[in-house]
Amino acid sequence: APVRCVPPSAPMSAPGAPARAASVATAALDFLLLETTREYMDKGEAGARALDGIGYRIGARLAERHTNGRPRFTDATEVVLCLCKEFWPLVHGKRIDSLKTNNKGVFVLTDLRLRWIANVCAVSGDGNDAGDDAASRVTRTHTRVCVGMLCGFLTACGFKAEVSADTKNAPQVVFTIRMHGAS
């Protein structure tokens, strides 16, 4: 039987309509990420590189759009602050929870509840090692896109960096950014 399209019960200008639309867009993005990750998860290193590449391209494109018309960043601290205060909320709907630096080009960003990891339902078993390994593997795989996005953002802003993610305490994720050539 054909699906009947029903118009929304209230016009888009009704109170709450934009929030509903944003909620649907967020849910669609979350589902897309889950399915994309699931598709590449069993492809080994090639799948991991593909997820990194997807994240990299997304991060670079968002950086180009978001920083268009503003002066180039001149130092690493400035670009990381932009990443935490402007880029992260654009992607995840909230600021990064903690930012630490050693003032020598290493930045540690902590998100206490990364939405994309919190929404992952991994079978973790009865506390056995196999179940914990499976859950750990799934969370590490999901952070590949985030790591790629951070790399893409930083590269598009003119900074070379290495980014890694620690998911031991998922859904908390700790990202470490090591800037190359930072003073």
Side-chain angles (χ1 to χ4, degrees):
V3 176
R4 193 178 78 149
C5 296
V6 180
S9 59
M12 284 302 289
S13 60
R20 233 182 359 256
S23 168
V24 170
T26 301
L29 177 63
D30 290 350
F31 181 70
L32 179 63
L33 177 71
L34 287 169
E35 286 302 306
T36 302
T37 304
R38 186 182 62 78
E39 179 70 26
Y40 286 105
M41 198 153 92
D42 294 328
K43 295 186 178 177
E45 189 58 35
R49 281 193 311 273
L51 288 171
D52 289 339
I54 289 168
Y56 184 91
R57 286 187 298 277
I58 292 169
R61 287 178 183 168
L62 287 174
E64 289 169 6
R65 286 183 186 167
H66 189 68
T67 61
N68 189 18
R70 80 169 26 171
R72 296 285 283 171
F73 295 106
T74 55
D75 88 341
T77 303
E78 187 181 359
V79 74
V80 172
L81 283 173
C82 176
L83 194 143
C84 293
K85 292 181 177 180
E86 298 175 33
F87 178 76
W88 204 258
L90 181 70
V91 175
H92 297 284
K94 69 180 191 106
R95 284 186 175 186
I96 203 82
D97 294 308
S98 171
L99 167 63
K100 296 177 183 174
T101 182
N102 67 356
N103 293 318
K104 294 181 182 175
V106 177
F107 298 87
V108 178
L109 288 63
T110 305
D111 190 326
L112 297 175
R113 185 167 169 78
L114 184 63
R115 187 181 81 232
W116 293 346
I117 300 298
N119 291 337
V120 173
C121 296
V123 178
S124 62
D126 305 1
N128 62 14
D129 289 339
D132 291 342
D133 287 346
S136 176
R137 182 171 167 254
V138 169
T139 56
R140 278 193 320 271
T141 303
H142 277 15
T143 58
R144 300 291 298 234
V145 175
C146 285
V147 167
M149 288 174 74
L150 293 173
C151 287
F153 181 87
L154 292 167
T155 302
C157 292
F159 292 85
K160 292 185 179 182
E162 282 180 32
V163 181
S164 60
D166 177 9
T167 59
K168 292 188 268 212
N169 300 320
Q172 174 182 320
V173 181
V174 178
F175 296 96
T176 303
I177 300 173
R178 285 182 175 73
M179 297 293 211
H180 297 293
S183 55

